[in-house]
Amino acid sequence: MNIPIPPSFHPDAAQSDIFPDKGEYVLKVSIGNPPFDLYAIADTGSDLFWAQCLPCDQCYPQKNPKYDPKSSSTYRNVACPSQRCQLLGTTSCSPPSNTCNYTYGYAAGSLTQGVLATETLTFASTKGSPVPLPNVVFGCGHNNTGTFNENEMGLAGLGRGSISLISQISPSFGGRRFSHCLVPFNTPPTISSKMSIGSGSEVSGPGTVTTSLVASQDSTFYVVTLNGISVGSTYLPFNSSGAVTKGNVFLDSGTLPTIVPRDFYNRLEAEVRSVVKLTPIDDPQLRPQLCYGRDVQAQGPLLTAHFDGNADVVLKQTSTFIEAKDGIFCFAMTPIDGPGGIVGNFAQTDHLIGFDLDGNTVSFKPTDCTKL
C-alpha cells in the first residue's frame, strides 16, 4: 500500500512530541516555571492530567526526577470548595488548609491520589516559539500505584470531559480538536511522532475517512460505531444478527489490544486461523492467544475496520499481529463478556487520527508516523 506523504501541521497549532514506551505512548509536556519536562502517558480514555509530585508518600518507581511544586513559581493549589474543584467528581475538601483532594482510578486497577492544583504548561508550536498556558488544572499526585513503568512520570488525560487537557488548552489554539499519529509497537523509543492541538490539527486530504462521534452517558470517551471487520475480503458483522447498536466502541490510546465481545472475537479468530497458512504456536505463557512465528507479519491478512459513514480503516499486519515474545507474534485482539468494545492503540498505529470535539467527528488517514 502506498503511504501518503504526511501533512505539514498548521502554523498556529500547538505541538508535542509523543514517544513509544513499551506499548504505551508518552507525551512531552513542560510544566511550571522554570519549565520542567514531564513525560506522561497519552490517554484518550481518561480526563485527568496528573504528575507524580514531591513529596511522594506512595509512588511507583520513576527514572526521571519527580516534579517538585515548591520549585515552581506558578504552582497554586485549587481552593476548596470552588468550581474548579468540582470539575472532577471524586474530590473532597481537607480542612484547615481547604485543599481540593482527589482520587482517580483506572479500569486496570491503577490509582492516583493527591491534590488538584493549577500550573503553567508550555507547548512547542509550529511557529517556533514556545507557548505558555497559565492556570491549567492538574493533579499533583502524592500516592500513585498500578501498572505504570519507570519512564512514565504521570498521565495526560485527553478525553472529552471538561477537566481534560484537550478541553482546557485547545480553545487557546483555535478550537477543541487535536490529532495524533502513533508509531508501531516496538518502534525504538528514540523515534517520536507528533500530537497537534487546536486550529490546523484537522486531518484531511487523499485517503482520509471520517466517522461521527456518538453521544454517550460517559462524557470522557470518544465513542464511535463499528459495523464490522473484514479479514481479507470476508466481512464479519460486529453482531451475528447484523444489527448494530450506535456507539458500540470507543477509541482509547491508553489500552493496547482491541477488545470486542466474545462472539465477535470468536468469529474473527476463526477466520484469521482459516486464512493464515501457517502453523499456530502454542506457548503456555501466551494461551489462549492465537500466535504465529515472524512470517505472519508478511503473510497474514489485512484487516479492515468498517466504521459508520463508510469510514473503512485498513489495519496492516504490524497492527494486527504484535510480538509478544521473541519471534512470537499474537493476534492483537482480545474478547470481553459484554456488548461493547475498545479500539486500542495497536489498531491506531500508522494513522493520523483527528479528534474534533466541536464537529463531533473522528478522521483517519494512513500515514507513516515515524516520518512525522
Side-chain angles (χ1 to χ4, degrees), residues 15 114 271 277 344:
Q15 269 193 350
E271 186 62 28
K277 305 305 181 190

Side-chain angles (χ1 to χ4, degrees), residues 280-289 291 324-326 328 330:
I281 293 175
D282 181 21
D283 186 301
Q285 291 181 313
L286 298 173
R287 289 175 188 161
Q289 296 178 77
C291 304
K325 285 175 71 172
D326 192 31
I328 302 178
C330 299

Side-chain angles (χ1 to χ4, degrees), residues 28-324:
K28 181 183 177 182
V29 182
S30 293
I31 184 171
N33 185 27
F36 176 83
D37 285 346
L38 192 74
Y39 294 88
I41 299 170
D43 184 19
T44 58
S46 66
D47 287 330
L48 182 66
F49 167 52
W50 60 269
Q52 291 219 105
C53 273
L54 294 176
C56 244
D57 305 322
Q58 184 180 357
C59 286
Y60 58 87
Q62 179 177 306
K63 188 171 65 176
N64 290 317
K66 295 181 180 69
Y67 164 76
D68 184 358
K70 289 182 179 173
S71 69
S72 171
S73 64
T74 46
Y75 175 90
R76 301 286 185 275
N77 283 330
V78 166
C80 195
S82 69
Q83 193 172 5
R84 278 182 159 167
C85 187
Q86 293 168 2
L87 285 172
L88 202 63
T90 53
T91 54
S92 62
C93 291
S94 176
S97 60
N98 283 338
T99 52
C100 178
N101 295 340
Y102 77 86
T103 299
Y104 200 83
Y106 300 88
S110 301
L111 189 73
T112 175
Q113 294 177 308
V115 298
L116 283 191
T118 61
E119 254 296 14
T120 294
L121 302 188
T122 303
F123 285 85
S125 78
T126 40
K127 284 181 176 174
S129 53
V131 181
L133 291 178
N135 301 315
V136 176
V137 178
F138 81 109
C140 202
H142 299 295
N143 292 276
N144 315 299
T145 56
T147 56
F148 307 107
N149 74 49
E150 61 180 9
N151 297 321
E152 298 160 355
M153 302 166 69
L155 188 145
L158 304 170
R160 299 176 72 180
S162 55
I163 202 172
S164 87
L165 199 56
I166 293 303
S167 294
Q168 289 194 73
I169 70 173
S170 59
S172 301
F173 296 101
R176 292 195 313 145
R177 59 184 69 92
F178 71 102
S179 58
H180 66 53
C181 203
L182 304 179
V183 298
F185 179 69
N186 272 353
T187 297
T190 50
I191 297 178
S192 65
S193 54
K194 298 286 186 189
M195 174 178 286
S196 179
I197 301 165
S199 175
S201 65
E202 299 86 358
V203 176
S204 60
T208 302
V209 296
T210 300
T211 191
S212 296
L213 284 168
V214 178
S216 89
Q217 286 184 317
D218 192 316
S219 61
T220 298
F221 299 132
Y222 294 96
V223 178
V224 295
T225 304
L226 178 63
N227 293 317
I229 293 176
S230 291
V231 179
S233 59
T234 303
Y235 176 75
L236 302 170
F238 190 88
N239 292 333
S240 295
S241 65
V244 168
T245 304
K246 296 286 185 185
N248 55 355
V249 297
F250 64 90
L251 296 157
D252 185 1
S253 63
T255 294
L256 281 63
T258 290
I259 301 170
V260 295
R262 192 169 298 275
D263 167 70
F264 188 30
Y265 176 85
N266 289 342
R267 288 182 284 120
L268 284 168
E269 187 192 284
E271 186 62 28
V272 169
R273 277 183 187 272
S274 72
V275 170
V276 177
K277 305 305 181 190
L278 299 168
T279 303
I281 293 175
D282 181 21
D283 186 301
Q285 291 181 313
L286 298 173
R287 289 175 188 161
Q289 296 178 77
L290 174 62
C291 304
Y292 295 94
R294 191 176 302 278
D295 290 347
V296 75
Q297 287 214 320
Q299 299 179 33
L302 288 176
L303 269 62
T304 305
H306 302 280
F307 295 101
D308 225 16
N310 295 316
D312 294 344
V313 177
V314 178
L315 311 177
K316 295 187 299 183
Q317 292 95 331
T318 52
S319 305
T320 305
F321 298 95
I322 300 297
E323 190 168 23

